[in-house]
Amino acid sequence: MLESMGLPLPAESIIITSALFCATTHKLSITGIIIAAVAGAIMGDNFGYLIGRALGLKLLQKYGPKVGLTPERLLLGRYVFLKHGGSVVFFGRFIAVLRMFVALLAGANHMPWHTFLWHNALGGLCWAGGYAICTYLLGNEVLKLSGPVGLGFGACAAIAIVASFLFLKRNEKRLTEEAMKAAEKDENLRITPL
């Protein structure tokens, strides 16, 4: 839950360790681990969303220009979250660094809560439940597989992040113009000055 709120904690490792302990000793219930992991992931993201919604945009407006986050880029971020936020929330669950910040960013960009809740719950169920069940079923084999699989996921995530960054950089002007036109028609995109 705390990692999903934005704190750099090893949630993935805790889920794997707990499920592995359960599989090898049978002193814990795998059902309890799954329920705790999924509930913690979903609740943490919802708290992170609320924090981002209350404070995020104000902080981004105030300090964003110091790191190159212009009002146009803020509008672009809101536009991306309005258009593709569900995918970002769902798939962000599986990328370690993004997992910590996606809820805060969704809240700061005023992504509709019902859309966030649906994709967050689905992502939390697949991520936390998937890790717990796979670890429980694979038992000690997961330790042999986790290194290569983790490296593979890490490489895929790095490639996806770099590709997304390059796409945004190359298409920033066009996407910003789209966001400006959309903001004229949609009040959800408009950013009110501090």
Side-chain angles (χ1 to χ4, degrees), residues 14 49 71 109 135 159 163 191:
I14 292 170
Y49 175 88
N109 285 297
T135 302
I159 290 168
I191 297 174

Side-chain angles (χ1 to χ4, degrees), residues 164-176:
S164 298
F165 176 76
L166 291 174
F167 175 81
L168 283 173
K169 207 62 178 151
R170 288 187 180 144
N171 295 289
E172 183 177 5
K173 185 177 180 181
R174 179 184 58 81
L175 290 170
T176 302

Side-chain angles (χ1 to χ4, degrees), residues 90-114:
F90 179 82
F91 290 111
R93 173 66 70 185
F94 297 91
I95 301 170
V97 174
L98 188 54
R99 182 171 50 245
M100 289 187 306
F101 299 111
V102 75
L104 295 167
L105 291 171
N109 285 297
H110 291 219
M111 179 180 180
W113 183 74
H114 63 278

